[in-house]
Amino acid sequence: MAVYRTFAAANYQQAAQTAAQVLEASGVFDAVSLEGSVVSCTYGGETAAVFTYSSGRIDVTFGAYSMYAADIDAFWIGGTKNGVLLDHHNRYVNPTDFRLYSIAVGRSQSGIPMLMFHQLGVGSSAASNYELTCDALSAPEAVTDPALLTNAYYSKLTGECTVCSGKDPVASADKIYRYGVRQTNVPVDAMCVVEINGTEYLTDGCFAVQESLK
């Protein structure tokens, strides 16, 4: 069963604690530890990911990729057995199609921890995506956000994958999807659970993490 919570920027320690709990419960990593507001995740005997929360800021290291975000006024944390969403809202950025910076953490179809990050567009800059497994040898390049269709009647999900240098797919996410078509009543500024074709998903309006089937 999906769980999700939101925290004000000043409550970053509670956000880190919840992030550690949902990451551990997902089983994506071999072990998850929390020290202060730093969440460390190990896989194969090595540190695979670190999520550092502070007041209005998050720093992320995942394999070869690192990023940070500031000016955060709200953290959103959610998880299922199939993956985790670690999102945040920037107090100054409020685009139309998406409202949360979305970080999805799950497994590739071969079982390797995988991260997908959706970065909102600002001004004339287009929204972009980063995707990689924790054992990638280099940081991923930004990929321009694909066009999103919306309608009042249904949603349609598409798969997520990482690519190596060149065009050959390296890894596809297991049970984590993005919207090709998004129903207009799916919130884009909060997490929620939606049902699509009889299956429930934890979603932030960008990614959709499948619940375990009953």
Side-chain angles (χ1 to χ4, degrees):
M1 178 175 163
V3 295
Y4 56 94
R5 293 183 63 186
T6 185
F7 301 90
N11 297 328
Y12 63 91
Q13 291 179 313
Q14 293 95 317
Q17 183 177 37
T18 302
Q21 290 170 348
V22 297
L23 283 164
E24 184 172 32
S26 72
V28 170
F29 299 98
D30 295 337
V32 177
S33 62
L34 175 66
E35 184 173 349
S37 59
V38 179
V39 183
S40 299
C41 309
T42 60
Y43 181 80
E46 298 183 357
T47 300
V50 179
F51 303 92
T52 303
Y53 287 83
S54 54
S55 184
R57 178 176 169 125
I58 183 172
D59 291 76
V60 177
T61 299
F62 191 97
Y65 178 63
S66 62
M67 55 83 69
Y68 78 92
D71 297 323
I72 296 171
D73 59 14
F75 296 105
W76 282 88
I77 315 290
T80 79
K81 280 291 186 182
N82 293 315
V84 169
L85 295 176
L86 305 176
D87 293 0
H88 58 272
H89 180 265
N90 184 295
R91 69 189 68 192
Y92 302 118
V93 180
N94 209 34
T96 302
D97 291 339
F98 305 96
R99 298 289 176 84
L100 297 177
Y101 286 80
S102 302
I103 300 173
V105 179
R107 305 174 192 83
S108 69
Q109 292 186 1
S110 61
I112 305 298
M114 186 171 176
L115 177 139
M116 293 141 279
F117 173 47
H118 180 257
Q119 180 170 294
L120 302 181
V122 180
S124 60
S125 300
S128 56
N129 300 276
Y130 299 84
E131 302 172 347
L132 78 161
T133 55
C134 70
D135 58 354
L137 298 178
S138 60
E141 295 182 2
V143 177
T144 301
D145 207 28
L148 174 71
L149 302 177
T150 60
N151 67 62
Y153 306 105
Y154 67 91
S155 293
K156 181 179 180 181
L157 301 177
T158 62
E160 286 287 322
C161 69
T162 64
V163 290
C164 63
S165 56
K167 298 181 180 180
D168 296 327
V170 173
S172 296
D174 185 28
K175 300 181 178 63
I176 299 180
Y177 307 91
R178 278 205 56 190
Y179 289 92
V181 179
R182 186 179 63 212
Q183 193 173 4
T184 50
N185 65 355
V186 175
V188 296
D189 55 1
M191 286 186 189
C192 69
V193 175
V194 298
E195 183 175 308
I196 301 174
N197 197 27
T199 300
E200 291 187 339
Y201 299 84
L202 173 68
T203 185
D204 55 12
C206 176
F207 295 112
V209 184
Q210 183 179 311
E211 285 269 40
S212 296
L213 297 177
K214 297 179 182 178

